[in-house]
Amino acid sequence: MATETAQTNSLSLSDGNADKLNVEAAEKLANEALRLPMSDAVPIYEHLLANFPTSAKYWKQYVEALMASNNDEATKQVFSRCLLNCLQVPLWRCYIRFIRKVNDKKGIEGQEETKKAFEFMLNYVGSDIASGPVWMEYVAYLKSLPAQTTLEESQRMTTIRKLYQRAIVMPTHHVEQLWREYENFENSVSRALAKGLVTEYQPKYNSARAVYRERKKYVDEIDWNMLAVPPSGTPKEEMQWVAWKKLLSFEKGNPQRIDNVSANKRITFAYEQCLMYLYHYPDIWYDYAMWHAINGSQDSAIKVFQRALKALPDSGMLKYAYAELEETRGAAQVAKKVYESLLGDGVNATALSHIQQSNIIRNRIQLIDGHGIVKDAAVIFNPRVFIRFLRRTEGVEAARKYFLDARKSPNCTYHVYVAYAMMAFCLDKDAKLAHNIFEAGLKRFMHEPSYILEYADFLCRLNDDRNIRALFERALSSLPPDESVEVWKRFAQFEQTYGDLTSMLKVEQRRKEALCRMTENGESILENSLQDVISRYSFMDLWPCSTKDLDHLSRQEWLFRGVNKKIENPTPVNGPSSADRTTPEVPINSNVSGKVVYPDVSRMVIYAPGQKPGITTPVVAGVSSTLPNGISGGAATINDTLKSLPPTLAVFVSNLPAVEGPSPDVDFVISICLQSNIPPASAKPSAPQQLPSGPVPSASDASGSSKLRQTRDRQAGKRKGMERQDDDDTSTIQSQPLPKDAFKIRQLQKALGASSRTGGASSRTGGTSSRTGGSASYGSGFSGDFSGSSG
């Protein structure tokens, strides 16, 4: 069963490039291999490592399985394949265990082989931050070796001392422990000699310790178990890319100020480790190669490029960079082979297209930008690069031969014509040949706007305005409107720069007429505007107006386009409302098409502040019993509410009129209240009754219209002069508490001012009653300092 599962996972890894590097499937496959016999596990390990050749953990699992099966020969072969490509300490320590196991019984010869293995390991991974245990293991191994003579003992002590002195200058996790062991070792050998040696190496150790603390910050950000997969732009991949970039920059700065040879060795080690995890990142390969080239080691740079192209055989960027490096060192034939490999590997599942006879291909590859973000971009083989390369290395005739061969292909693109024409014009100074090439290409690529623009640029360099106009006219007569935008733009720019006013205006008008079908509103583009004037009289970054004027015109253009959009007036679901029937038509600008849509105000609800729980709203007869906020009350509730009020107030509330409309006119409501005939109280209530303070909105009727009813109690002791005031308007008005709506406060203040002017005499004669009976505070909804008294 385990074998079948492993085979299934193996198949999932082999189906296509994406599945081939499926990390989840690889992990399952590696776990399955642990439970299989070695004969069944070997094909699985080989398959895994073919897909992940730099995965140290898979190599380590593979060799440990071979060691457990005592297959020493196979183990040696696997180590020879992986060690130099996987510079990871756990794998190398596994290698040392294998060497010691093999050589333990070989006596002095085996001891020497083990020493060589230790030195070999320290030469490659001795500068790793995790290599402390390797140094300590080597020291312990040397101390365990027997010494037959005094000379042998002295030689062993000298070897151990040198090993300690190499270890304590390495910024590793165990640098402090190694330093303490070194001090103890020197003191055990000779206290007199120890003082001088410890003093000599103390500054070097302090430097290594300081660098270790800085290096650890960068190393801790790296995931050492990540598998090398092509970049896909995930946040984790971006973080790892940034982490490795920081570590590489740190190592390049030579923070420990060691000699150049040792510093370069550490930088090389950092790059090699980085490529274990970012194996499919072309920018890392390029940085590594160029670092070698800048430091004067072009041979090492060439080797890096060769490894890179083996890892990423479809990377056009790396091939161009490699060819460039070979050409700079004088290896023109090698560079030509690289270019030919670019031309010849066109049968590709991700190829966009290829030219059969000239074999110019377009590959799809992945690019990494400066922030580590992965992007898919069409990378087209640049014929100009190859043509110019041939001209540099083999002369004009070779370049001409390539062009003649390439143009015969039915799949040849216009790039080949542009490349050879511009080479003839710029490099060979042959304007006539370049003109002939462009004309020949025009017969095939009249439908290509980019080719037209390239040809126009060439004619502009020749200052051939006659042929430029002829080119534009020929091209615009054959190009469809949606493909001619840039050509029209270039034609207008040309006339603005080189033409007279008549030709300039004519071309601009033709351009508008030709492109009007591409806009939402074709008529607007035909109108002249200041934008056209600005376009005609601007040059580079010089404008015939201020930036403020530009912003204003841009805003006006945007508004104009918005106004000219046709607006349809939808009919309300329930038919036209009363507001629609009574609202007069607003005159609109003649440029505005369609009718302005007004809201259906019949369904608008007056804003009313939320009620506190427990407050009962008085509802008059004939008004819907549905209260605001969804609270409903029956007839019993209404009667109970009216009974709880003082008799005079209950009569007043019952006589409040129902005002139709979305929002009642405050002045009109107050006038109705002033005209209401409120009978005097028949008897004094035995105890003062009052409603909770604060505005209380009334219910809305069935049609959706609302009436604002607000009442406030007045104590019985403050109503003694009510019979003497038949027309006490101020008292009637002031019996209504102030709403919390600031707009309605201002409306009531306006009404109060008018009331004070018209009923001044009454206020003066009944001042006592006005002050006592009508001084209900309007500020209950605010701070309480606003009084409604008009006296």
Side-chain angles (χ1 to χ4, degrees), residues 713-765:
D713 68 272
R714 288 177 291 276
Q715 297 180 359
K718 295 182 180 181
R719 300 284 298 173
K720 292 181 180 180
M722 194 65 182
E723 294 81 3
R724 296 190 303 270
Q725 299 183 28
D726 296 335
D727 298 321
D728 191 355
D729 299 336
T730 305
S731 176
T732 304
I733 297 173
Q734 292 173 346
S735 65
Q736 302 183 40
L738 181 70
K740 293 183 180 181
D741 192 331
F743 173 75
K744 296 188 179 301
I745 292 175
R746 292 195 297 271
Q747 292 286 355
L748 286 176
Q749 285 178 326
K750 178 180 177 181
L752 286 173
S755 175
S756 299
R757 290 192 296 271
T758 59
S762 176
S763 297
R764 286 191 295 271
T765 58

Side-chain angles (χ1 to χ4, degrees), residues 592-666:
V592 180
S593 60
K595 181 182 176 182
V596 176
V597 179
Y598 293 96
D600 183 10
V601 296
S602 64
R603 294 189 176 276
M604 293 178 64
V605 179
I606 299 301
Y607 167 76
Q611 300 185 32
K612 296 182 180 179
I615 296 178
T616 305
T617 304
V619 182
V620 299
V623 179
S624 172
S625 62
T626 303
L627 302 179
N629 300 326
I631 304 174
S632 61
T637 304
I638 298 174
N639 293 332
D640 292 341
T641 301
L642 293 176
K643 289 178 181 180
S644 65
L645 298 175
T648 303
L649 183 59
V651 173
F652 171 76
V653 171
S654 299
N655 291 332
L656 286 176
V659 181
E660 295 292 341
S663 177
D665 186 343
V666 177

Side-chain angles (χ1 to χ4, degrees), residues 522-702:
E523 293 76 18
S524 62
I525 199 172
L526 298 179
E527 298 181 4
N528 294 322
S529 67
L530 278 177
Q531 295 283 6
D532 300 329
V533 178
I534 292 173
S535 176
R536 285 195 291 269
Y537 295 102
S538 62
F539 179 73
M540 297 178 68
D541 59 345
L542 301 177
W543 301 89
C545 59
S546 65
T547 55
K548 183 178 180 181
D549 292 334
L550 283 175
D551 294 339
H552 172 72
L553 290 174
S554 299
R555 174 70 178 173
Q556 292 300 104
E557 182 180 3
W558 178 79
L559 290 175
F560 181 74
R561 290 178 179 175
V563 168
N564 277 275
K565 290 183 178 179
K566 295 183 178 180
I567 303 176
E568 296 182 359
N569 187 7
T571 304
V573 177
N574 296 329
S577 64
S578 60
D580 293 330
R581 294 190 298 269
T582 59
T583 304
E585 291 292 336
V586 179
I588 58 175
N589 191 294
S590 60
N591 291 332
V592 180
S593 60
K595 181 182 176 182
V596 176
V597 179
Y598 293 96
D600 183 10
V601 296
S602 64
R603 294 189 176 276
M604 293 178 64
V605 179
I606 299 301
Y607 167 76
Q611 300 185 32
K612 296 182 180 179
I615 296 178
T616 305
T617 304
V619 182
V620 299
V623 179
S624 172
S625 62
T626 303
L627 302 179
N629 300 326
I631 304 174
S632 61
T637 304
I638 298 174
N639 293 332
D640 292 341
T641 301
L642 293 176
K643 289 178 181 180
S644 65
L645 298 175
T648 303
L649 183 59
V651 173
F652 171 76
V653 171
S654 299
N655 291 332
L656 286 176
V659 181
E660 295 292 341
S663 177
D665 186 343
V666 177
D667 295 334
F668 175 73
V669 173
I670 292 176
S671 66
I672 294 296
C673 293
L674 292 175
Q675 297 172 10
S676 299
N677 185 16
I678 302 176
S682 59
K684 296 181 180 179
S686 60
Q689 300 179 10
Q690 71 178 49
L691 289 174
S693 61
V696 182
S698 67
S700 59
D701 59 12

